[in-house]
């Protein structure tokens, strides 16, 4: 059920059950990060392959040493700048964190989420929460409690309703190779914002046989409607005569027939707002019984890089 009562979530989590939690990025499917029983349930409910590790959510930077060891100085710097917030750090794992959480890797992904309800919840618990996004594996991430309910219904006893996610897109993930920071996943903090703080960083190169980093599988975040990505929407439409088409546009409506459904992500051309609206708009289009969705490519800068990354995977 949907509730704002964290006591219900506390009771469930203490019994090794899985609950949905709000964060500023997307909703999470959370369980006790120190309990293999709870972690198993997360993988089962989400139908997530066991090789795809989970992010551990902690209450504050002070808690970091309970889940990670040999923490590089740059990691502390980043944590101080961006926590609580949408930055995940991949660090050497503390032995108390279950190997199931890290999919057998020697590293653990960790962050402090910036949502008051979830911070109060974490504060009331004696364990951190492992949580991937609260959607079935590969589908569109949920940015409202209703999205979570639509996916899982009553399978979840508790869906903590913290309203719409403020950022609406997953966290940025940074790992360390030889103590040097490496970007593993574009996310709601742009690479430019990070580089202002710590200088140039390397970008991890992706490949499906080594889904070393989070969210790196090439097909992910996907609507069930076939989705195309283009920088010339009007031309692409012409190649689908007679089809029921939905458009996902950044700022301006495309000049096309009225029969075409259009979602505009930010009329002011604000990327932060576009990111916030992205998944909700995709959920709406996906529920319109369309033949296809056509999405417009974003400018390749700031959060536009993150949005393009998600759109590319959605259209695989
Ligand atoms: P989700 O919350 O669904 O985006 O999933 C969390 C993401 O974090 C996953 O895609 C993981 O691959 C990534 N992740 C978690 N732990 C690690 C780790 N130890 N190393 C690299 N990536 C990780
Ligand atoms: Mg996910």
């Amino acid at each position: 059920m949907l509730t704002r009562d964290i006591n219900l979530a506390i009771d469930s989590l203490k019994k090794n059950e899985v609950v949905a939690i709000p964060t500023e990025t997307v909703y999470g499917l959370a369980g006790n990060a120190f309990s293999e029983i709870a972690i198993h349930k997360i993988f089962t409910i989400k139908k997530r392959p066991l090789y795809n590790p989970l992010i551990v959510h902690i209450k504050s930077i002070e808690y970091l040493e309970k889940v990670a060891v040999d923490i590089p100085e740059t990691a502390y710097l980043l944590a101080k700048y961006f926590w609580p917030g949408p930055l995940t750090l991949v660090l050497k794992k503390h032995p108390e964190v279950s190997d199931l959480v890290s999919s057998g890797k020697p590293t653990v992904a960790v962050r402090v989420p910036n949502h008051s309800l979830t911070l109060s919840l974490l504060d009331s618990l004696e364990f951190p929460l492992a949580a991937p996004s609260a959607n079935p594996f590969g589908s569109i991430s949920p940015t409202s409690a209703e999205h979570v309910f639509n996916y899982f219904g009553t399978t979840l006893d508790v869906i903590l309703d913290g309203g719409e996610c403020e950022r609406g897109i997953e966290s940025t993930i940074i790992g360390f190779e030889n103590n040097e920071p490496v970007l593993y996943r574009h996310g709601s903090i742009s690479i430019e914002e990070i580089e202002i703080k710590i200088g140039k960083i390397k970008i991890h190169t992706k490949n499906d046989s080594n889904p070393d980093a989070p969210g790196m599988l090439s097909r992910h975040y996907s609507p069930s409607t076939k989705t195309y990505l283009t920088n010339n929407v009007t031309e692409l439409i012409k190649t689908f005569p007679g089809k029921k088409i939905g458009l996902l546009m950044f700022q301006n409506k495309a000049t096309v027939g009225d029969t075409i459904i259009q979602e505009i992500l930010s009329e002011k051309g604000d990327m932060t707002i576009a990111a916030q609206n992205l998944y909700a708009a995709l959920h709406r289009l996906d529920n319109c019984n369309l033949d296809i969705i056509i999405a417009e490519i974003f400018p390749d800068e700031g959060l536009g890089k993150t949005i393009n990354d998600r759109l590319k995977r959605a259209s695989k």
Side-chain angles (χ1 to χ4, degrees), residues 26-28 46 48 51-57 88-91 101-103 105-110 131-135 137 141 170-171 173 184-185 211-217 220-221 310:
V26 302
Y27 274 70
K46 188 174 160 94
R48 184 178 179 104
Y51 62 73
N52 204 348
L54 311 180
I55 294 174
V56 173
H57 296 73
T88 296
L89 298 173
V90 175
L91 301 168
V101 169
S102 65
S103 299
K105 288 179 197 293
T107 51
V108 62
V110 54
S133 52
N135 52 277
F137 180 67
S141 303
E170 293 80 357
S171 59
I173 304 184
Y184 280 172
R185 175 175 76 182
D212 186 31
M216 281 217 156
L217 296 174
H220 206 126
Y221 315 105
R310 301 303 189 268

Short mmCIF file of all heavy atoms in Angstrom, two decimals, residues 26-28 46 48 51-57 88-91 101-103 105-110 131-135 137 141 170-171 173 184-185 211-217 220-221 310, ligand 1:
data_model
loop_
_atom_site.label_atom_id
_atom_site.label_comp_id
_atom_site.label_asym_id
_atom_site.label_seq_id
_atom_site.Cartn_x
_atom_site.Cartn_y
_atom_site.Cartn_z
N VAL A 26 15.14 8.40 -8.40
CA VAL A 26 13.96 7.61 -8.76
C VAL A 26 13.57 6.79 -7.52
O VAL A 26 14.31 6.79 -6.54
CB VAL A 26 14.25 6.67 -9.97
CG1 VAL A 26 14.71 7.48 -11.19
CG2 VAL A 26 15.27 5.59 -9.64
N TYR A 27 12.44 6.12 -7.55
CA TYR A 27 12.06 5.27 -6.41
C TYR A 27 12.95 4.04 -6.37
O TYR A 27 13.37 3.52 -7.41
CB TYR A 27 10.58 4.87 -6.50
CG TYR A 27 9.67 5.90 -5.88
CD1 TYR A 27 9.50 7.14 -6.50
CD2 TYR A 27 9.03 5.67 -4.66
CE1 TYR A 27 8.69 8.12 -5.92
CE2 TYR A 27 8.22 6.65 -4.07
CZ TYR A 27 8.07 7.87 -4.70
OH TYR A 27 7.29 8.84 -4.12
N GLY A 28 13.23 3.55 -5.15
CA GLY A 28 14.07 2.38 -4.98
C GLY A 28 13.31 1.22 -4.37
O GLY A 28 12.29 1.40 -3.70
N LYS A 46 12.42 -7.87 -8.57
CA LYS A 46 12.78 -7.02 -9.72
C LYS A 46 13.10 -7.84 -10.97
O LYS A 46 13.20 -7.30 -12.06
CB LYS A 46 13.99 -6.15 -9.31
CG LYS A 46 14.34 -5.09 -10.32
CD LYS A 46 15.43 -4.17 -9.84
CE LYS A 46 16.08 -3.47 -11.02
NZ LYS A 46 15.54 -2.17 -11.35
N ARG A 48 15.91 -9.13 -11.50
CA ARG A 48 17.21 -8.57 -11.90
C ARG A 48 18.24 -9.68 -11.92
O ARG A 48 18.30 -10.49 -10.99
CB ARG A 48 17.62 -7.52 -10.87
CG ARG A 48 18.90 -6.77 -11.17
CD ARG A 48 19.07 -5.76 -10.07
NE ARG A 48 20.24 -4.95 -10.13
CZ ARG A 48 20.23 -3.67 -10.51
NH1 ARG A 48 19.12 -3.12 -10.94
NH2 ARG A 48 21.32 -2.96 -10.47
N TYR A 51 24.10 -10.81 -11.55
CA TYR A 51 25.39 -10.19 -11.84
C TYR A 51 25.33 -8.66 -11.82
O TYR A 51 26.32 -7.98 -12.00
CB TYR A 51 25.95 -10.67 -13.19
CG TYR A 51 25.12 -10.34 -14.40
CD1 TYR A 51 25.04 -9.03 -14.89
CD2 TYR A 51 24.38 -11.33 -15.06
CE1 TYR A 51 24.26 -8.72 -15.99
CE2 TYR A 51 23.59 -11.02 -16.17
CZ TYR A 51 23.55 -9.72 -16.62
OH TYR A 51 22.76 -9.41 -17.71
N ASN A 52 24.14 -8.11 -11.60
CA ASN A 52 23.99 -6.65 -11.65
C ASN A 52 23.85 -6.09 -10.23
O ASN A 52 22.79 -6.16 -9.63
CB ASN A 52 22.77 -6.32 -12.50
CG ASN A 52 22.83 -4.93 -13.10
OD1 ASN A 52 23.67 -4.12 -12.71
ND2 ASN A 52 21.95 -4.65 -14.02
N PRO A 53 24.94 -5.54 -9.67
CA PRO A 53 24.95 -5.18 -8.25
C PRO A 53 24.02 -4.01 -7.88
O PRO A 53 23.58 -3.27 -8.74
CB PRO A 53 26.41 -4.80 -8.00
CG PRO A 53 26.95 -4.42 -9.33
CD PRO A 53 26.20 -5.21 -10.34
N LEU A 54 23.77 -3.87 -6.57
CA LEU A 54 22.83 -2.86 -6.07
C LEU A 54 23.59 -1.69 -5.43
O LEU A 54 24.72 -1.84 -4.99
CB LEU A 54 21.93 -3.48 -4.99
CG LEU A 54 21.26 -4.81 -5.33
CD1 LEU A 54 20.41 -5.27 -4.14
CD2 LEU A 54 20.40 -4.67 -6.57
N ILE A 55 22.91 -0.55 -5.36
CA ILE A 55 23.50 0.60 -4.66
C ILE A 55 23.08 0.54 -3.18
O ILE A 55 21.92 0.27 -2.86
CB ILE A 55 23.03 1.93 -5.29
CG1 ILE A 55 23.59 2.04 -6.73
CG2 ILE A 55 23.48 3.12 -4.44
CD1 ILE A 55 23.08 3.25 -7.51
N VAL A 56 24.06 0.77 -2.28
CA VAL A 56 23.77 0.80 -0.85
C VAL A 56 23.54 2.26 -0.42
O VAL A 56 24.36 3.14 -0.72
CB VAL A 56 24.94 0.18 -0.06
CG1 VAL A 56 24.73 0.37 1.44
CG2 VAL A 56 25.07 -1.30 -0.41
N HIS A 57 22.41 2.48 0.25
CA HIS A 57 22.04 3.83 0.69
C HIS A 57 22.33 3.97 2.17
O HIS A 57 21.84 3.17 2.98
CB HIS A 57 20.56 4.09 0.39
CG HIS A 57 20.25 4.09 -1.08
ND1 HIS A 57 20.23 2.93 -1.83
CD2 HIS A 57 20.01 5.11 -1.94
CE1 HIS A 57 19.96 3.24 -3.11
NE2 HIS A 57 19.83 4.56 -3.19
N THR A 88 26.78 8.47 -6.72
CA THR A 88 27.10 7.16 -6.16
C THR A 88 28.59 6.92 -6.33
O THR A 88 29.14 7.15 -7.41
CB THR A 88 26.29 6.07 -6.88
OG1 THR A 88 24.90 6.30 -6.63
CG2 THR A 88 26.66 4.68 -6.39
N LEU A 89 29.24 6.45 -5.25
CA LEU A 89 30.68 6.15 -5.31
C LEU A 89 30.87 4.65 -5.25
O LEU A 89 30.26 3.97 -4.42
CB LEU A 89 31.39 6.81 -4.13
CG LEU A 89 31.31 8.34 -4.08
CD1 LEU A 89 31.90 8.86 -2.78
CD2 LEU A 89 32.02 8.95 -5.29
N VAL A 90 31.69 4.12 -6.13
CA VAL A 90 32.01 2.69 -6.10
C VAL A 90 33.37 2.54 -5.40
O VAL A 90 34.38 3.04 -5.89
CB VAL A 90 32.02 2.08 -7.52
CG1 VAL A 90 32.48 0.62 -7.47
CG2 VAL A 90 30.64 2.17 -8.15
N LEU A 91 33.34 1.86 -4.23
CA LEU A 91 34.52 1.80 -3.36
C LEU A 91 34.80 0.35 -2.98
O LEU A 91 33.97 -0.53 -3.21
CB LEU A 91 34.23 2.60 -2.09
CG LEU A 91 33.90 4.08 -2.33
CD1 LEU A 91 33.34 4.71 -1.07
CD2 LEU A 91 35.14 4.83 -2.81
N VAL A 101 24.96 -8.23 -2.63
CA VAL A 101 24.74 -6.82 -2.95
C VAL A 101 25.68 -6.40 -4.07
O VAL A 101 25.32 -5.65 -4.98
CB VAL A 101 24.99 -5.94 -1.71
CG1 VAL A 101 25.03 -4.46 -2.08
CG2 VAL A 101 23.95 -6.20 -0.65
N SER A 102 26.93 -6.88 -3.98
CA SER A 102 27.97 -6.42 -4.93
C SER A 102 28.13 -7.39 -6.09
O SER A 102 29.05 -7.24 -6.89
CB SER A 102 29.28 -6.26 -4.19
OG SER A 102 29.72 -7.53 -3.74
N SER A 103 27.25 -8.39 -6.17
CA SER A 103 27.33 -9.42 -7.21
C SER A 103 28.72 -10.06 -7.24
O SER A 103 29.29 -10.29 -8.31
CB SER A 103 27.00 -8.84 -8.58
OG SER A 103 25.71 -8.33 -8.58
N LYS A 105 31.50 -8.81 -6.56
CA LYS A 105 32.64 -7.91 -6.84
C LYS A 105 33.27 -7.49 -5.52
O LYS A 105 32.61 -7.46 -4.48
CB LYS A 105 32.15 -6.63 -7.52
CG LYS A 105 31.71 -6.79 -8.95
CD LYS A 105 31.23 -5.42 -9.45
CE LYS A 105 30.41 -5.55 -10.69
NZ LYS A 105 31.17 -6.00 -11.84
N PRO A 106 34.55 -7.09 -5.57
CA PRO A 106 35.20 -6.61 -4.34
C PRO A 106 34.80 -5.17 -4.00
O PRO A 106 35.28 -4.60 -3.03
CB PRO A 106 36.69 -6.68 -4.70
CG PRO A 106 36.75 -6.60 -6.18
CD PRO A 106 35.46 -7.18 -6.72
N THR A 107 33.92 -4.58 -4.82
CA THR A 107 33.52 -3.18 -4.61
C THR A 107 32.05 -3.06 -4.24
O THR A 107 31.26 -3.96 -4.49
CB THR A 107 33.75 -2.37 -5.90
OG1 THR A 107 33.12 -3.06 -6.99
CG2 THR A 107 35.22 -2.18 -6.20
N VAL A 108 31.72 -1.91 -3.65
CA VAL A 108 30.33 -1.64 -3.31
C VAL A 108 29.98 -0.23 -3.79
O VAL A 108 30.80 0.69 -3.68
CB VAL A 108 30.09 -1.79 -1.79
CG1 VAL A 108 30.92 -0.80 -0.98
CG2 VAL A 108 28.61 -1.63 -1.44
N ALA A 109 28.76 -0.07 -4.31
CA ALA A 109 28.29 1.26 -4.73
C ALA A 109 27.50 1.86 -3.59
O ALA A 109 26.65 1.20 -3.00
CB ALA A 109 27.40 1.11 -5.97
N VAL A 110 27.79 3.13 -3.25
CA VAL A 110 27.17 3.71 -2.06
C VAL A 110 26.85 5.20 -2.26
O VAL A 110 27.57 5.90 -2.96
CB VAL A 110 28.10 3.47 -0.82
CG1 VAL A 110 29.50 3.98 -1.06
CG2 VAL A 110 27.54 4.09 0.44
N ALA A 131 19.34 -0.81 -2.57
CA ALA A 131 18.16 -0.56 -3.40
C ALA A 131 18.52 -0.27 -4.85
O ALA A 131 19.24 0.68 -5.12
CB ALA A 131 17.36 0.62 -2.84
N PRO A 132 18.01 -1.07 -5.76
CA PRO A 132 18.03 -0.68 -7.18
C PRO A 132 16.76 0.11 -7.46
O PRO A 132 15.93 0.30 -6.56
CB PRO A 132 17.98 -2.03 -7.90
CG PRO A 132 17.13 -2.88 -7.00
CD PRO A 132 17.34 -2.38 -5.58
N SER A 133 16.59 0.59 -8.68
CA SER A 133 15.37 1.32 -8.99
C SER A 133 14.16 0.37 -8.92
O SER A 133 14.28 -0.83 -9.20
CB SER A 133 15.47 1.95 -10.38
OG SER A 133 15.84 0.97 -11.32
N ALA A 134 13.00 0.92 -8.53
CA ALA A 134 11.82 0.09 -8.25
C ALA A 134 11.00 -0.17 -9.52
O ALA A 134 9.83 0.22 -9.62
CB ALA A 134 10.96 0.76 -7.18
N ASN A 135 11.66 -0.81 -10.49
CA ASN A 135 10.98 -1.21 -11.72
C ASN A 135 11.45 -2.61 -12.08
O ASN A 135 12.55 -3.00 -11.69
CB ASN A 135 11.35 -0.24 -12.86
CG ASN A 135 12.86 -0.10 -13.00
OD1 ASN A 135 13.49 0.68 -12.28
ND2 ASN A 135 13.45 -0.87 -13.88
N PHE A 137 13.29 -5.33 -14.10
CA PHE A 137 14.57 -5.19 -14.78
C PHE A 137 14.39 -4.73 -16.23
O PHE A 137 13.59 -5.30 -16.98
CB PHE A 137 15.30 -6.54 -14.76
CG PHE A 137 16.63 -6.49 -15.45
CD1 PHE A 137 17.65 -5.74 -14.92
CD2 PHE A 137 16.85 -7.20 -16.62
CE1 PHE A 137 18.89 -5.68 -15.56
CE2 PHE A 137 18.07 -7.15 -17.26
CZ PHE A 137 19.09 -6.38 -16.73
N SER A 141 12.31 3.61 -15.33
CA SER A 141 12.41 3.85 -13.89
C SER A 141 11.19 4.62 -13.38
O SER A 141 10.62 5.43 -14.10
CB SER A 141 13.68 4.65 -13.57
OG SER A 141 14.80 3.97 -14.06
N GLU A 170 18.49 8.79 -12.64
CA GLU A 170 19.37 8.09 -11.70
C GLU A 170 20.63 8.89 -11.32
O GLU A 170 21.00 9.84 -12.01
CB GLU A 170 19.81 6.73 -12.27
CG GLU A 170 18.70 5.71 -12.42
CD GLU A 170 17.85 5.92 -13.66
OE1 GLU A 170 18.09 6.89 -14.41
OE2 GLU A 170 16.94 5.11 -13.88
N SER A 171 21.29 8.38 -10.27
CA SER A 171 22.51 9.05 -9.80
C SER A 171 23.65 8.88 -10.79
O SER A 171 23.68 7.94 -11.59
CB SER A 171 22.92 8.44 -8.45
OG SER A 171 23.14 7.05 -8.60
N ILE A 173 27.40 7.79 -11.36
CA ILE A 173 28.23 6.82 -10.64
C ILE A 173 29.70 7.01 -10.98
O ILE A 173 30.08 7.06 -12.15
CB ILE A 173 27.80 5.37 -10.94
CG1 ILE A 173 26.31 5.19 -10.61
CG2 ILE A 173 28.64 4.38 -10.12
CD1 ILE A 173 25.80 3.79 -10.76
N TYR A 184 31.36 5.99 -14.29
CA TYR A 184 30.77 4.72 -14.72
C TYR A 184 29.40 4.91 -15.35
O TYR A 184 28.98 4.11 -16.16
CB TYR A 184 30.62 3.78 -13.53
CG TYR A 184 31.88 3.06 -13.12
CD1 TYR A 184 31.91 2.31 -11.94
CD2 TYR A 184 33.03 3.12 -13.88
CE1 TYR A 184 33.05 1.64 -11.54
CE2 TYR A 184 34.18 2.46 -13.49
CZ TYR A 184 34.19 1.72 -12.32
OH TYR A 184 35.31 1.06 -11.93
N ARG A 185 28.67 5.90 -14.87
CA ARG A 185 27.34 6.14 -15.44
C ARG A 185 27.03 7.63 -15.39
O ARG A 185 27.19 8.25 -14.34
CB ARG A 185 26.27 5.37 -14.63
CG ARG A 185 24.84 5.66 -15.10
CD ARG A 185 23.79 4.82 -14.41
NE ARG A 185 23.51 5.28 -13.05
CZ ARG A 185 22.65 4.67 -12.23
NH1 ARG A 185 22.02 3.56 -12.61
NH2 ARG A 185 22.44 5.14 -11.03
N PRO A 211 29.36 -5.76 -17.89
CA PRO A 211 28.51 -4.74 -17.31
C PRO A 211 29.05 -4.36 -15.94
O PRO A 211 28.40 -4.45 -14.92
CB PRO A 211 27.14 -5.41 -17.22
CG PRO A 211 27.41 -6.87 -17.28
CD PRO A 211 28.80 -7.10 -17.80
N ASP A 212 30.31 -3.95 -15.98
CA ASP A 212 31.11 -3.66 -14.81
C ASP A 212 30.47 -2.54 -14.00
O ASP A 212 30.50 -2.51 -12.79
CB ASP A 212 32.48 -3.23 -15.34
CG ASP A 212 33.48 -3.03 -14.23
OD1 ASP A 212 33.36 -3.72 -13.20
OD2 ASP A 212 34.33 -2.16 -14.39
N ALA A 213 29.86 -1.62 -14.72
CA ALA A 213 29.30 -0.46 -14.06
C ALA A 213 27.80 -0.47 -14.17
O ALA A 213 27.24 -1.09 -15.06
CB ALA A 213 29.87 0.79 -14.68
N PRO A 214 27.16 0.23 -13.26
CA PRO A 214 25.72 0.31 -13.14
C PRO A 214 25.05 0.87 -14.37
O PRO A 214 25.53 1.84 -14.95
CB PRO A 214 25.52 1.28 -12.00
CG PRO A 214 26.87 1.65 -11.53
CD PRO A 214 27.90 1.03 -12.38
N GLY A 215 23.92 0.28 -14.67
CA GLY A 215 23.12 0.84 -15.75
C GLY A 215 23.85 0.83 -17.07
O GLY A 215 23.57 1.62 -17.96
N MET A 216 24.82 -0.07 -17.22
CA MET A 216 25.62 -0.01 -18.43
C MET A 216 25.15 -0.96 -19.52
O MET A 216 25.73 -1.01 -20.59
CB MET A 216 27.07 -0.32 -18.10
CG MET A 216 27.73 0.88 -17.50
SD MET A 216 29.39 0.97 -18.07
CE MET A 216 29.77 2.68 -17.90
N LEU A 217 24.14 -1.78 -19.21
CA LEU A 217 23.64 -2.66 -20.26
C LEU A 217 23.06 -1.80 -21.36
O LEU A 217 22.39 -0.81 -21.09
CB LEU A 217 22.56 -3.58 -19.70
CG LEU A 217 23.07 -4.55 -18.63
CD1 LEU A 217 21.92 -5.32 -18.03
CD2 LEU A 217 24.10 -5.48 -19.21
N HIS A 220 18.03 -0.81 -21.70
CA HIS A 220 17.72 -0.51 -20.30
C HIS A 220 16.73 0.63 -20.33
O HIS A 220 16.56 1.27 -21.35
CB HIS A 220 19.02 -0.05 -19.64
CG HIS A 220 19.07 -0.27 -18.16
ND1 HIS A 220 20.08 -0.95 -17.55
CD2 HIS A 220 18.24 0.09 -17.15
CE1 HIS A 220 19.88 -0.98 -16.25
NE2 HIS A 220 18.76 -0.37 -15.98
N TYR A 221 16.09 0.93 -19.23
CA TYR A 221 15.20 2.09 -19.13
C TYR A 221 14.16 2.12 -20.26
O TYR A 221 13.84 3.17 -20.81
CB TYR A 221 16.01 3.40 -19.19
CG TYR A 221 17.25 3.43 -18.33
CD1 TYR A 221 18.51 3.31 -18.88
CD2 TYR A 221 17.14 3.56 -16.94
CE1 TYR A 221 19.64 3.33 -18.09
CE2 TYR A 221 18.27 3.58 -16.14
CZ TYR A 221 19.52 3.47 -16.73
OH TYR A 221 20.64 3.49 -15.95
N ARG A 310 20.15 7.80 -21.55
CA ARG A 310 18.95 7.01 -21.23
C ARG A 310 18.11 6.76 -22.48
O ARG A 310 17.57 5.68 -22.68
CB ARG A 310 18.09 7.72 -20.18
CG ARG A 310 18.80 8.01 -18.87
CD ARG A 310 19.35 6.75 -18.22
NE ARG A 310 19.83 7.03 -16.87
CZ ARG A 310 21.09 7.38 -16.58
NH1 ARG A 310 22.03 7.44 -17.52
NH2 ARG A 310 21.43 7.65 -15.32
P1 LIG B 1 19.78 0.95 -10.52
O1 LIG B 1 19.53 1.57 -9.19
O2 LIG B 1 18.71 0.06 -11.02
O3 LIG B 1 20.22 1.95 -11.55
O4 LIG B 1 21.01 0.00 -10.31
C1 LIG B 1 22.15 0.38 -9.62
C2 LIG B 1 23.31 0.35 -10.52
O5 LIG B 1 24.51 0.47 -9.75
C3 LIG B 1 23.42 -0.95 -11.27
O6 LIG B 1 23.19 -0.78 -12.65
C4 LIG B 1 24.78 -1.49 -10.97
O7 LIG B 1 25.42 -2.05 -12.09
C5 LIG B 1 25.53 -0.30 -10.36
N1 LIG B 1 26.48 -0.82 -9.36
C6 LIG B 1 26.16 -1.23 -8.16
N2 LIG B 1 27.25 -1.70 -7.53
C7 LIG B 1 28.31 -1.60 -8.37
C8 LIG B 1 29.68 -1.93 -8.30
N3 LIG B 1 30.21 -2.50 -7.22
N4 LIG B 1 30.44 -1.69 -9.36
C9 LIG B 1 29.94 -1.15 -10.45
N5 LIG B 1 28.63 -0.83 -10.58
C10 LIG B 1 27.81 -1.03 -9.55
#
